[in-house]
Amino acid sequence: DVVMTQTPPSLSVAIGQSVSISCKSSQSLVHSDGKTYLNWLLQNPGQSPKRLIYQVSNLGSGVPDRFSGTGSEKDFTLKISRVEAEDLGVYHCVQATHVPLTFGSGTKLEIK
Amino acid sequence: QVQLQQSGAELAKPGTSVKLSCKASGYTFTSYYIYWVKQRPGQGLEWIGYIYPGNGGTYYSEKFKGKATFTADTSSSTAYMLLGSLTPEDSAYYFCARSRYFDYWGQGVMVTVSS
């Protein structure tokens, strides 16, 4: 199974700051169809996850452009520019290139 | 608008089964995979597998083979997951989500296994 190593496990940031979360995979996430199926999710407290980014860098519908995703092969980053209060929660990366799909261990974002 | 509506919380005894539902609306049910995800309280997300309602094809993560069984009723646009031989380790939230892009999620359902 592909191991997704997500760091840091937690972050505490002030409103308006920028932060980055890393996700590294144990195998290349480039699919045989040429696409890279790496998604980023946000789970606000007490809520189900919601999709932020798909295929590394594509912003989901309705997601603010403060969120951006970069990376390739085995190394991926989610950046949040100008953090807002509504951004608190747990961020998850998930690879959907290989079965079984696997998730990172999560990054808990707290607001100072 | 696309929605995935899951059934209500379940309290079950060890050794029994529960059948969870995920009712889809706002899109063509048979055109998208439904993925199932487990989350124990305070823990990370774990992929169980998927069903493709278009042809009933399924895939189970190795860990959940024999534990979970997926079905889909195209007449009601509802996907189901049967969890059998329940143990306390099956106590968790279970989510359904649409496709490998996880673009839509159900609200989740809490399953509690206790005698």
Side-chain angles (χ1 to χ4, degrees):
Chain A
D1 297 0
V2 177
V3 176
M4 303 296 291
T5 302
Q6 187 175 340
T7 56
S10 64
L11 286 168
S12 182
V13 299
I15 300 294
Q17 273 191 304
S18 295
V19 296
S20 292
I21 299 169
S22 169
C23 200
K24 297 183 190 296
S25 59
S26 60
Q27 301 176 30
S28 171
L29 298 187
V30 179
H31 194 273
S32 56
D33 65 8
K35 298 178 182 178
T36 302
Y37 295 100
L38 186 283
N39 305 313
W40 289 97
L41 314 172
L42 166 59
Q43 189 170 22
N44 296 122
Q47 304 285 317
S48 55
K50 58 184 177 185
R51 196 265 311 272
L52 298 174
I53 302 280
Y54 65 98
Q55 284 182 242
V56 181
S57 59
N58 294 285
L59 209 59
S61 176
V63 176
D65 61 8
R66 301 181 289 101
F67 293 92
S68 61
T70 58
S72 63
E73 297 282 344
K74 298 167 59 176
D75 195 349
F76 305 92
T77 301
L78 174 71
K79 182 177 180 180
I80 313 170
S81 304
R82 307 179 308 281
V83 166
E84 297 188 4
E86 65 189 28
D87 299 338
L88 88 163
V90 180
Y91 290 80
H92 306 273
C93 60
V94 53
Q95 69 80 20
T97 295
H98 304 284
V99 286
L101 276 65
T102 45
F103 293 85
S105 52
T107 296
K108 186 174 184 179
L109 179 66
E110 297 177 331
I111 306 296
K112 285 181 182 174
Chain B
Q1 70 282 24
V2 173
Q3 288 188 329
L4 297 175
Q5 183 66 36
Q6 296 187 241
S7 45
E10 298 273 2
L11 174 60
K13 293 189 185 304
T16 65
S17 300
V18 292
K19 191 172 186 178
L20 311 181
S21 66
C22 173
K23 183 173 175 58
S25 60
Y27 72 98
T28 302
F29 180 61
T30 51
S31 296
Y32 292 83
Y33 289 76
I34 292 289
Y35 284 47
W36 290 91
V37 175
K38 177 182 180 180
Q39 185 175 41
R40 301 202 73 184
Q43 303 297 310
L45 300 169
E46 190 172 15
W47 187 66
I48 301 171
Y50 66 65
I51 184 166
Y52 184 64
N55 60 12
T58 57
Y59 185 97
Y60 300 93
S61 177
E62 195 65 33
K63 179 178 177 180
F64 292 94
K65 287 182 180 176
K67 169 63 65 178
T69 304
F70 306 137
T71 56
D73 178 356
T74 57
S75 67
S76 63
S77 297
T78 303
Y80 297 93
M81 177 172 66
L82 176 69
L83 292 172
S85 303
L86 292 170
T87 72
E89 286 65 46
D90 297 317
S91 295
Y93 281 97
Y94 292 87
F95 299 97
C96 59
R98 192 179 80 161
S99 87
R100 73 198 313 174
Y101 299 106
F102 294 98
D103 51 357
Y104 293 93
W105 289 71
Q107 79 275 25
V109 55
M110 181 67 201
V111 175
T112 302
V113 182
S114 175
S115 54

